Amino acid sequence: MNSGRYEQPVGRLLPWSSPEGKPCYVVGNGTGYVSRLADEVERVQLGMADHLLGHAAELLAEPRATSGELRYLAGRLRECLADVKRVAESRGARLTR
């Protein structure tokens, strides 16, 4: 129901940051080039996270894994978790509209 008030367009949180590390947003109906690019980037990020989880299971099952290998794995898992969290935040915000 429209109360006659102008509704502010809501921005979509994009799956990347500015060079300064600030969040990036796109405003639109979700069908434009930037929205489609964001959908593709999110798909790649989620796929990479899934692949890394499989690798993590293998490495953690290896009793001879070195501390360097585990530290590297932890760093990549942290990066993927940050990406997945950003995707979840973006998608969650769009569900509440």
Side-chain angles (χ1 to χ4, degrees), residues 13-67:
L13 177 64
L14 295 172
W16 56 80
S17 299
S18 73
E20 298 81 26
K22 296 181 180 180
C24 294
Y25 297 88
V26 64
V27 176
N29 62 6
T31 61
Y33 173 76
V34 174
S35 292
R36 290 192 311 272
L37 179 61
D39 291 340
E40 178 62 17
V41 169
E42 286 180 353
R43 186 189 67 73
V44 169
Q45 288 174 328
L46 294 174
M48 289 172 54
D50 188 51
H51 179 76
L52 185 59
L53 283 173
H55 179 66
E58 292 173 7
L59 187 60
L60 292 171
E62 174 56 55
R64 293 175 292 189
T66 68
S67 62

Side-chain angles (χ1 to χ4, degrees), residues 72-95:
Y72 183 80
L73 174 64
R76 302 304 66 81
L77 287 169
R78 189 210 60 78
E79 291 168 357
C80 280
L81 184 57
D83 289 343
V84 169
K85 180 179 179 280
R86 184 181 209 98
V87 170
E89 288 172 350
S90 177
R91 292 182 180 184
R94 287 180 276 153
L95 288 175

